[in-house]
Coordinates of all heavy atoms in Angstrom, one line a residue:
M8 N 27.2 95.3 -139.8 CA 27.6 95.9 -138.6 C 28.9 95.3 -138.1 O 29.7 96.0 -137.6 CB 26.5 95.7 -137.5 CG 26.9 96.5 -136.3 SD 25.8 96.3 -134.8 CE 24.2 96.3 -135.5
K9 N 29.1 94.0 -138.3 CA 30.4 93.3 -137.9 C 31.6 94.0 -138.6 O 32.6 94.2 -138.0 CB 30.3 91.8 -138.3 CG 29.3 91.1 -137.5 CD 29.4 89.6 -137.7 CE 29.7 89.1 -139.0 NZ 29.7 87.6 -139.2
Y10 N 31.4 94.2 -139.9 CA 32.6 94.8 -140.6 C 32.9 96.2 -140.2 O 34.0 96.6 -140.1 CB 32.3 94.8 -142.1 CG 32.0 93.4 -142.6 CD1 30.8 93.0 -143.2 CD2 33.0 92.4 -142.6 CE1 30.6 91.7 -143.6 CE2 32.8 91.1 -143.0 CZ 31.6 90.8 -143.5 OH 31.4 89.5 -144.0
K11 N 31.8 97.0 -139.8 CA 32.0 98.4 -139.4 C 32.7 98.3 -138.0 O 33.6 99.2 -137.7 CB 30.7 99.1 -139.3 CG 30.2 99.5 -140.7 CD 29.1 100.4 -140.6 CE 28.7 100.8 -142.0 NZ 27.9 102.0 -142.2
L12 N 32.3 97.4 -137.1 CA 33.0 97.3 -135.8 C 34.4 96.9 -136.0 O 35.3 97.5 -135.3 CB 32.3 96.2 -135.0 CG 31.0 96.6 -134.3 CD1 30.3 95.3 -133.7 CD2 31.1 97.6 -133.3
A13 N 34.7 96.0 -136.8 CA 36.1 95.6 -137.0 C 37.0 96.7 -137.6 O 38.1 96.9 -137.2 CB 36.2 94.3 -138.0
E14 N 36.4 97.4 -138.6 CA 37.1 98.5 -139.2 C 37.3 99.7 -138.3 O 38.4 100.3 -138.2 CB 36.3 98.9 -140.5 CG 37.0 100.0 -141.3 CD 36.1 100.3 -142.5 OE1 35.7 99.4 -143.2 OE2 35.8 101.5 -142.7
K15 N 36.2 100.1 -137.6 CA 36.3 101.3 -136.8 C 37.0 101.2 -135.5 O 37.8 102.1 -135.1 CB 34.8 101.8 -136.5 CG 34.7 103.2 -135.9 CD 33.3 103.6 -135.9 CE 33.2 105.0 -135.3 NZ 31.9 105.5 -135.3
Y16 N 36.9 100.0 -134.8 CA 37.5 99.9 -133.5 C 38.7 98.9 -133.5 O 39.2 98.6 -132.4 CB 36.4 99.4 -132.5 CG 35.3 100.5 -132.4 CD1 34.1 100.3 -132.9 CD2 35.6 101.7 -131.7 CE1 33.1 101.3 -132.8 CE2 34.6 102.6 -131.6 CZ 33.4 102.4 -132.1 OH 32.4 103.4 -132.0
N17 N 39.0 98.4 -134.6 CA 40.2 97.5 -134.7 C 40.1 96.3 -133.8 O 41.0 96.0 -133.0 CB 41.5 98.3 -134.5 CG 42.7 97.5 -134.9 OD1 42.6 96.7 -135.8 ND2 43.8 97.8 -134.4
V18 N 38.9 95.7 -133.8 CA 38.7 94.5 -133.0 C 38.8 93.2 -133.9 O 38.6 93.3 -135.1 CB 37.3 94.5 -132.2 CG1 37.4 95.6 -131.2 CG2 36.2 94.7 -133.2
I19 N 39.0 92.1 -133.2 CA 39.1 90.8 -134.0 C 37.9 90.0 -133.8 O 37.4 89.8 -132.7 CB 40.4 90.0 -133.4 CG1 41.6 90.9 -133.5 CG2 40.6 88.7 -134.2 CD1 42.7 90.4 -132.6
A20 N 37.4 89.4 -134.9 CA 36.3 88.5 -135.0 C 35.0 89.0 -134.2 O 34.6 88.3 -133.3 CB 36.7 87.1 -134.5
P21 N 34.5 90.1 -134.6 CA 33.2 90.5 -133.9 C 32.0 89.6 -134.3 O 31.9 89.2 -135.4 CB 33.0 91.9 -134.4 CG 33.7 92.0 -135.7 CD 34.8 91.0 -135.6
V22 N 31.2 89.3 -133.2 CA 30.0 88.5 -133.4 C 28.9 89.4 -132.8 O 29.0 89.8 -131.7 CB 30.1 87.2 -132.7 CG1 28.8 86.4 -132.8 CG2 31.2 86.3 -133.3
V23 N 27.8 89.6 -133.6 CA 26.7 90.4 -133.1 C 25.4 89.6 -133.2 O 25.1 89.0 -134.2 CB 26.5 91.7 -134.0 CG1 25.4 92.5 -133.6 CG2 27.8 92.5 -134.1
G24 N 24.8 89.5 -132.0 CA 23.5 88.9 -131.9 C 22.4 89.9 -131.6 O 22.5 90.6 -130.7
I25 N 21.3 89.8 -132.4 CA 20.2 90.8 -132.2 C 18.9 90.0 -132.0 O 18.6 89.1 -132.9 CB 20.1 91.7 -133.4 CG1 21.3 92.5 -133.6 CG2 18.9 92.7 -133.2 CD1 21.3 93.4 -134.8
K26 N 18.2 90.2 -130.9 CA 16.9 89.6 -130.7 C 15.9 90.7 -130.8 O 15.9 91.7 -130.0 CB 16.9 89.0 -129.3 CG 17.5 87.6 -129.2 CD 17.2 87.1 -127.8 CE 17.7 85.6 -127.7 NZ 17.3 85.0 -126.4
L27 N 15.0 90.5 -131.7 CA 13.9 91.5 -131.9 C 12.8 91.2 -130.8 O 12.5 90.1 -130.6 CB 13.3 91.4 -133.3 CG 14.3 91.7 -134.4 CD1 13.7 91.5 -135.7 CD2 14.9 93.1 -134.3
Q28 N 12.3 92.3 -130.3 CA 11.2 92.3 -129.4 C 10.0 93.1 -129.9 O 10.0 93.5 -131.0 CB 11.6 92.8 -128.0 CG 12.7 92.0 -127.4 CD 13.2 92.5 -126.1 OE1 13.1 93.7 -125.8 NE2 13.6 91.6 -125.2
R29 N 9.0 93.3 -129.1 CA 7.8 94.1 -129.5 C 8.2 95.6 -129.6 O 9.1 96.0 -128.9 CB 6.7 93.9 -128.6 CG 6.2 92.5 -128.5 CD 5.0 92.3 -127.6 NE 4.7 90.9 -127.5 CZ 3.9 90.5 -126.6 NH1 3.4 91.3 -125.6 NH2 3.6 89.2 -126.6
N30 N 7.4 96.3 -130.3 CA 7.5 97.8 -130.4 C 8.8 98.3 -130.8 O 9.4 99.2 -130.3 CB 7.1 98.4 -129.1 CG 5.7 98.1 -128.7 OD1 4.8 97.9 -129.5 ND2 5.4 97.9 -127.4
Q31 N 9.4 97.6 -131.8 CA 10.7 98.0 -132.4 C 11.8 98.1 -131.4 O 12.7 99.0 -131.4 CB 10.5 99.4 -133.1 CG 9.6 99.3 -134.3 CD 9.5 100.7 -135.0 OE1 9.5 101.7 -134.4 NE2 9.4 100.6 -136.3
K32 N 11.8 97.2 -130.5 CA 12.9 97.2 -129.5 C 13.8 95.9 -129.8 O 13.3 95.0 -130.4 CB 12.4 97.1 -128.0 CG 11.7 98.3 -127.6 CD 11.3 98.2 -126.2 CE 10.5 99.5 -125.8 NZ 10.1 99.4 -124.4
A33 N 15.0 96.0 -129.4 CA 15.9 94.9 -129.6 C 16.9 94.7 -128.5 O 17.3 95.7 -127.9 CB 16.7 95.1 -130.9
K34 N 17.3 93.5 -128.2 CA 18.4 93.2 -127.3 C 19.6 92.8 -128.1 O 19.5 92.0 -129.1 CB 18.0 92.0 -126.4 CG 17.1 92.3 -125.3 CD 16.9 91.1 -124.4 CE 16.0 91.4 -123.2 NZ 15.8 90.3 -122.3
V35 N 20.7 93.4 -127.8 CA 21.9 93.2 -128.6 C 23.0 92.6 -127.7 O 23.3 93.1 -126.6 CB 22.4 94.5 -129.3 CG1 23.6 94.3 -130.1 CG2 21.3 95.1 -130.1
K36 N 23.7 91.6 -128.2 CA 24.9 91.0 -127.6 C 26.0 91.0 -128.5 O 25.9 90.5 -129.7 CB 24.6 89.6 -127.1 CG 25.7 89.1 -126.2 CD 25.4 87.8 -125.6 CE 26.5 87.3 -124.7 NZ 26.1 86.1 -123.9
I37 N 27.2 91.6 -128.1 CA 28.3 91.7 -129.0 C 29.5 91.0 -128.4 O 29.7 91.2 -127.2 CB 28.7 93.2 -129.2 CG1 27.5 94.0 -129.8 CG2 29.9 93.3 -130.2 CD1 27.0 95.0 -128.9
K38 N 30.2 90.2 -129.1 CA 31.4 89.5 -128.6 C 32.5 89.9 -129.6 O 32.4 89.7 -130.8 CB 31.2 88.0 -128.7 CG 30.2 87.4 -127.7 CD 30.2 85.9 -127.8 CE 29.2 85.4 -126.8 NZ 29.1 83.9 -126.9
V39 N 33.6 90.3 -129.0 CA 34.8 90.7 -129.8 C 36.1 90.3 -129.0 O 36.0 90.1 -127.8 CB 34.8 92.3 -130.1 CG1 33.7 92.7 -130.9 CG2 34.9 93.1 -128.8
E40 N 37.2 90.3 -129.8 CA 38.5 90.1 -129.2 C 39.2 91.4 -129.4 O 39.2 92.0 -130.5 CB 39.2 89.0 -129.8 CG 38.7 87.6 -129.5 CD 39.5 86.5 -130.1 OE1 40.7 86.7 -130.4 OE2 39.0 85.4 -130.2
A41 N 39.9 91.9 -128.3 CA 40.6 93.1 -128.4 C 42.1 92.9 -128.4 O 42.6 91.8 -127.8 CB 40.2 94.0 -127.2
T42 N 42.9 93.8 -128.9 CA 44.3 93.7 -128.9 C 44.8 94.0 -127.5 O 44.1 94.5 -126.7 CB 45.0 94.6 -129.9 OG1 44.6 95.9 -129.7 CG2 44.6 94.1 -131.3
K43 N 46.1 93.8 -127.2 CA 46.6 94.0 -125.9 C 46.6 95.4 -125.4 O 46.4 95.7 -124.2 CB 48.1 93.5 -125.9 CG 48.3 92.0 -126.1 CD 49.7 91.7 -126.1 CE 49.9 90.2 -126.5 NZ 51.3 89.9 -126.5
N44 N 46.8 96.4 -126.3 CA 46.9 97.8 -125.9 C 45.6 98.6 -125.8 O 45.6 99.8 -125.7 CB 47.9 98.5 -126.8 CG 47.5 98.4 -128.3 OD1 46.5 97.8 -128.6 ND2 48.2 99.0 -129.2
Q45 N 44.5 97.9 -126.0 CA 43.2 98.6 -125.9 C 42.6 98.6 -124.5 O 42.7 97.6 -123.8 CB 42.2 98.0 -126.9 CG 42.6 98.2 -128.4 CD 41.6 97.5 -129.3 OE1 41.2 96.4 -129.0 NE2 41.2 98.2 -130.4
N46 N 42.0 99.7 -124.1 CA 41.3 99.8 -122.8 C 40.0 99.2 -123.0 O 39.2 99.6 -123.8 CB 41.2 101.3 -122.5 CG 40.6 101.5 -121.1 OD1 40.2 100.5 -120.5 ND2 40.5 102.7 -120.7
V47 N 39.7 98.2 -122.2 CA 38.5 97.3 -122.4 C 37.2 98.1 -122.1 O 36.3 98.0 -122.8 CB 38.6 96.0 -121.5 CG1 37.4 95.3 -121.5 CG2 39.8 95.2 -121.9
E48 N 37.2 98.8 -120.9 CA 36.0 99.5 -120.6 C 35.6 100.6 -121.6 O 34.5 100.8 -122.0 CB 36.1 100.1 -119.2 CG 36.0 99.1 -118.1 CD 36.0 99.7 -116.7 OE1 35.3 100.8 -116.6 OE2 36.6 99.1 -115.8
Q49 N 36.6 101.4 -122.0 CA 36.4 102.5 -122.9 C 36.0 101.9 -124.3 O 35.1 102.4 -124.9 CB 37.7 103.3 -123.1 CG 37.5 104.5 -124.0 CD 38.8 105.2 -124.1 OE1 39.9 104.8 -123.7 NE2 38.8 106.4 -124.8
L50 N 36.6 100.8 -124.7 CA 36.2 100.2 -126.0 C 34.8 99.7 -125.9 O 34.0 99.9 -126.9 CB 37.2 99.1 -126.3 CG 36.9 98.3 -127.5 CD1 37.1 99.2 -128.8 CD2 37.8 97.1 -127.6
A51 N 34.4 99.1 -124.8 CA 33.0 98.6 -124.7 C 32.0 99.7 -124.7 O 31.0 99.6 -125.4 CB 32.9 97.8 -123.4
N52 N 32.3 100.8 -124.0 CA 31.4 101.9 -124.1 C 31.2 102.5 -125.5 O 30.1 102.9 -125.9 CB 31.8 103.0 -123.1 CG 31.6 102.5 -121.6 OD1 30.7 101.7 -121.3 ND2 32.4 103.0 -120.7
Q53 N 32.3 102.6 -126.2 CA 32.3 103.1 -127.5 C 31.5 102.2 -128.5 O 30.7 102.7 -129.3 CB 33.7 103.3 -128.1 CG 34.5 104.4 -127.5 CD 35.9 104.4 -127.9 OE1 36.4 103.5 -128.5 NE2 36.6 105.5 -127.6
I54 N 31.7 100.9 -128.3 CA 30.9 99.9 -129.1 C 29.5 100.0 -128.8 O 28.6 100.0 -129.7 CB 31.5 98.5 -128.9 CG1 32.9 98.4 -129.6 CG2 30.6 97.4 -129.5 CD1 33.6 97.1 -129.3
N55 N 29.1 100.1 -127.5 CA 27.7 100.2 -127.1 C 27.0 101.4 -127.8 O 25.9 101.4 -128.3 CB 27.5 100.2 -125.6 CG 27.7 98.9 -125.0 OD1 27.8 97.9 -125.6 ND2 27.9 98.9 -123.7
E56 N 27.7 102.6 -127.7 CA 27.2 103.8 -128.3 C 27.1 103.7 -129.8 O 26.1 104.1 -130.4 CB 28.1 105.0 -128.0 CG 28.1 105.4 -126.6 CD 29.1 106.5 -126.2 OE1 29.6 107.1 -127.2 OE2 29.4 106.7 -125.1
F57 N 28.0 103.0 -130.5 CA 28.0 102.8 -131.9 C 26.8 102.0 -132.3 O 26.1 102.3 -133.2 CB 29.3 102.2 -132.4 CG 29.2 101.7 -133.8 CD1 29.3 102.6 -134.9 CD2 29.0 100.4 -134.1 CE1 29.2 102.2 -136.2 CE2 29.0 99.9 -135.4 CZ 29.0 100.8 -136.4
V58 N 26.6 100.9 -131.5 CA 25.5 99.9 -131.8 C 24.1 100.6 -131.7 O 23.2 100.5 -132.5 CB 25.6 98.7 -130.9 CG1 24.3 97.9 -131.0 CG2 26.7 97.8 -131.4
I59 N 24.0 101.4 -130.6 CA 22.7 102.1 -130.4 C 22.4 103.1 -131.5 O 21.3 103.2 -132.1 CB 22.7 102.8 -129.0 CG1 22.7 101.8 -127.9 CG2 21.6 103.8 -128.9 CD1 22.9 102.3 -126.5
D60 N 23.5 103.9 -131.9 CA 23.3 104.9 -133.0 C 23.0 104.2 -134.3 O 22.2 104.6 -135.1 CB 24.6 105.7 -133.1 CG 24.7 106.7 -131.9 OD1 23.7 106.9 -131.2 OD2 25.9 107.2 -131.7
Y61 N 23.8 103.1 -134.6 CA 23.6 102.4 -135.9 C 22.2 101.8 -136.0 O 21.6 102.0 -137.0 CB 24.7 101.3 -136.0 CG 24.7 100.6 -137.3 CD1 25.3 101.1 -138.4 CD2 24.0 99.4 -137.4 CE1 25.3 100.4 -139.6 CE2 23.9 98.7 -138.6 CZ 24.6 99.2 -139.7 OH 24.6 98.5 -140.9
L62 N 21.7 101.1 -135.0 CA 20.4 100.5 -135.1 C 19.3 101.5 -135.1 O 18.3 101.3 -135.8 CB 20.2 99.5 -134.0 CG 21.1 98.2 -134.0 CD1 20.8 97.3 -132.8 CD2 20.8 97.5 -135.3
S63 N 19.5 102.6 -134.4 CA 18.4 103.6 -134.4 C 18.3 104.4 -135.7 O 17.3 104.7 -136.2 CB 18.5 104.6 -133.2 OG 19.7 105.3 -133.4
S64 N 19.5 104.6 -136.3 CA 19.5 105.4 -137.6 C 19.3 104.5 -138.8 O 18.5 104.9 -139.7 CB 20.8 106.1 -137.7 OG 21.9 105.2 -137.9
Q65 N 19.8 103.3 -138.9 CA 19.7 102.4 -140.0 C 18.5 101.6 -140.0 O 17.8 101.4 -141.1 CB 21.0 101.5 -140.1 CG 22.3 102.2 -140.3 CD 22.4 102.9 -141.6 OE1 21.9 102.5 -142.6 NE2 23.1 104.1 -141.6
L66 N 18.1 101.1 -138.9 CA 17.0 100.1 -138.8 C 15.8 100.6 -138.0 O 14.8 99.9 -137.9 CB 17.4 98.8 -138.3 CG 18.6 98.1 -139.0 CD1 19.0 96.8 -138.3 CD2 18.1 97.7 -140.4
D67 N 15.9 101.8 -137.4 CA 14.8 102.4 -136.7 C 14.4 101.5 -135.5 O 13.2 101.2 -135.2 CB 13.6 102.7 -137.5 CG 12.6 103.7 -136.8 OD1 13.1 104.5 -136.0 OD2 11.4 103.6 -137.1
L68 N 15.4 100.9 -134.8 CA 15.2 100.0 -133.7 C 15.7 100.7 -132.4 O 16.7 101.5 -132.4 CB 15.9 98.7 -133.8 CG 15.4 97.8 -134.9 CD1 16.4 96.6 -135.0 CD2 14.0 97.3 -134.6
K69 N 15.0 100.5 -131.3 CA 15.5 101.0 -130.0 C 16.1 99.8 -129.3 O 15.5 98.8 -129.0 CB 14.3 101.4 -129.2 CG 13.5 102.6 -129.8 CD 12.3 102.9 -129.0 CE 11.4 103.9 -129.8 NZ 10.1 104.0 -129.3
V70 N 17.4 100.0 -128.9 CA 18.2 98.9 -128.2 C 17.8 99.1 -126.7 O 18.0 100.1 -126.1 CB 19.7 99.1 -128.5 CG1 20.4 98.0 -127.7 CG2 19.9 99.0 -130.0
V71 N 17.4 98.0 -126.2 CA 17.0 98.0 -124.8 C 18.3 98.0 -123.9 O 18.4 98.9 -123.1 CB 16.2 96.7 -124.4 CG1 15.9 96.6 -122.9 CG2 14.9 96.7 -125.2
K72 N 19.2 97.1 -124.1 CA 20.4 97.1 -123.3 C 21.5 96.3 -124.0 O 21.5 95.1 -124.1 CB 20.1 96.4 -122.0 CG 21.2 96.5 -121.0 CD 20.9 95.6 -119.8 CE 20.7 96.5 -118.5 NZ 20.5 95.6 -117.3
P73 N 22.4 97.0 -124.7 CA 23.5 96.3 -125.4 C 24.5 95.7 -124.4 O 24.8 96.3 -123.4 CB 24.2 97.3 -126.2 CG 23.8 98.6 -125.6 CD 22.5 98.5 -124.9
V74 N 24.9 94.5 -124.6 CA 25.8 93.8 -123.7 C 27.1 93.5 -124.6 O 26.9 92.9 -125.7 CB 25.3 92.5 -123.2 CG1 26.3 91.7 -122.4 CG2 24.1 92.7 -122.3
T75 N 28.2 94.0 -124.2 CA 29.4 93.8 -124.9 C 30.3 92.9 -124.1 O 30.6 93.1 -123.0 CB 30.1 95.1 -125.2 OG1 29.2 96.0 -125.9 CG2 31.4 94.9 -126.0
Q76 N 30.8 91.8 -124.8 CA 31.7 90.9 -124.1 C 33.0 91.0 -124.9 O 33.1 90.6 -126.1 CB 31.2 89.4 -124.2 CG 32.0 88.4 -123.5 CD 31.3 87.1 -123.5 OE1 30.9 86.6 -124.6 NE2 31.2 86.4 -122.4
I77 N 34.1 91.4 -124.2 CA 35.4 91.6 -124.8 C 36.4 90.6 -124.2 O 36.5 90.5 -123.0 CB 35.9 93.0 -124.6 CG1 34.9 94.0 -125.3 CG2 37.3 93.2 -125.2 CD1 35.2 95.5 -125.1
T78 N 37.1 89.9 -125.1 CA 38.2 89.0 -124.6 C 39.5 89.6 -125.1 O 39.7 89.6 -126.3 CB 38.0 87.6 -125.2 OG1 36.7 87.2 -124.9 CG2 39.0 86.7 -124.7
P79 N 40.3 90.1 -124.2 CA 41.6 90.5 -124.6 C 42.5 89.4 -125.1 O 42.3 88.2 -124.7 CB 42.2 91.1 -123.4 CG 41.1 91.4 -122.5 CD 40.0 90.4 -122.8
V80 N 43.3 89.6 -126.1 CA 44.1 88.5 -126.7 C 45.0 87.9 -125.7 O 45.2 86.7 -125.7 CB 44.9 89.1 -127.9 CG1 45.8 88.1 -128.5 CG2 44.0 89.6 -129.0
N81 N 45.5 88.6 -124.7 CA 46.5 88.1 -123.7 C 45.8 87.5 -122.5 O 46.4 87.2 -121.5 CB 47.4 89.2 -123.3 CG 46.7 90.4 -122.7 OD1 45.5 90.5 -122.7 ND2 47.5 91.2 -122.1
R82 N 44.4 87.3 -122.6 CA 43.7 86.8 -121.4 C 42.7 85.7 -121.9 O 42.1 85.9 -123.0 CB 42.9 87.9 -120.8 CG 42.2 87.6 -119.5 CD 41.6 88.8 -118.9 NE 40.9 88.4 -117.7 CZ 40.1 89.2 -117.0 NH1 40.1 90.4 -117.3 NH2 39.5 88.7 -116.0
S83 N 42.6 84.6 -121.2 CA 41.7 83.5 -121.7 C 40.2 83.7 -121.3 O 39.4 83.2 -122.0 CB 42.2 82.2 -121.1 OG 42.1 82.3 -119.7
R84 N 39.9 84.5 -120.3 CA 38.5 84.7 -119.9 C 38.0 86.0 -120.4 O 38.7 87.0 -120.3 CB 38.4 84.6 -118.3 CG 38.8 83.3 -117.8 CD 38.6 83.1 -116.4 NE 37.2 83.0 -116.1 CZ 36.6 83.2 -114.9 NH1 37.3 83.6 -113.9 NH2 35.3 83.1 -114.8
P85 N 36.8 86.1 -120.9 CA 36.2 87.3 -121.4 C 35.8 88.3 -120.2 O 35.6 87.9 -119.1 CB 35.0 86.9 -122.2 CG 34.6 85.6 -121.6 CD 35.8 84.9 -121.1
V86 N 35.7 89.5 -120.6 CA 35.2 90.6 -119.7 C 33.9 91.1 -120.2 O 33.8 91.5 -121.3 CB 36.3 91.8 -119.7 CG1 35.8 92.9 -118.8 CG2 37.6 91.3 -119.2
N87 N 32.9 91.0 -119.4 CA 31.5 91.5 -119.7 C 31.3 92.9 -119.3 O 31.6 93.2 -118.2 CB 30.4 90.6 -119.1 CG 30.3 89.3 -119.7 OD1 30.6 89.1 -120.9 ND2 29.9 88.3 -118.9
V88 N 30.8 93.7 -120.2 CA 30.5 95.1 -119.9 C 29.0 95.3 -120.3 O 28.7 95.1 -121.4 CB 31.4 96.1 -120.6 CG1 31.0 97.5 -120.3 CG2 32.9 95.9 -120.2
I89 N 28.2 95.7 -119.3 CA 26.8 95.9 -119.5 C 26.5 97.4 -119.5 O 26.9 98.1 -118.6 CB 26.0 95.1 -118.5 CG1 26.3 93.6 -118.6 CG2 24.5 95.4 -118.7 CD1 25.7 92.8 -117.5

């Protein structure tokens, strides 16, 4: 999934954490670095949709609430989008 995120959305160093829960549910946390010209909110929503679709189709998991943390290259503090 990390390689698909990097390839599809042109993000730097994606890190994906998945915690499995009961009844085929999972909590997902994604950390990425974005380039200067990317819209952070739009990118986070696209990544969340991609993760939900990917996990439901490939692994038959239901994502409870994906959390995407994006750090723009020109900013030192990350932006959390839930």
Side-chain angles (χ1 to χ4, degrees):
M8 186 184 321
K9 294 187 324 183
Y10 300 116
K11 288 192 179 200
L12 284 172
E14 183 179 310
K15 188 171 184 177
Y16 298 107
N17 197 22
V18 292
I19 303 165
V22 176
V23 179
I25 300 174
K26 279 190 174 181
L27 298 176
Q28 297 179 329
R29 296 182 186 164
N30 299 327
Q31 294 180 326
K32 293 183 181 179
K34 285 186 180 181
V35 180
K36 186 171 184 177
I37 303 118
K38 292 182 181 182
V39 297
E40 290 185 18
T42 58
K43 295 178 186 178
N44 56 357
Q45 290 178 318
N46 183 355
V47 173
E48 285 187 39
Q49 182 181 11
L50 179 65
N52 290 331
Q53 290 174 347
I54 289 174
N55 285 346
E56 290 175 16
F57 169 77
V58 167
I59 290 170
D60 291 340
Y61 183 85
L62 290 178
S63 64
S64 65
Q65 298 292 326
L66 301 175
D67 196 31
L68 291 174
K69 298 173 191 167
V70 177
V71 175
K72 188 187 245 187
V74 176
T75 304
Q76 187 177 46
I77 298 177
T78 305
V80 175
N81 59 349
R82 187 174 173 185
S83 62
R84 299 185 72 197
V86 177
N87 287 332
V88 178
I89 299 173

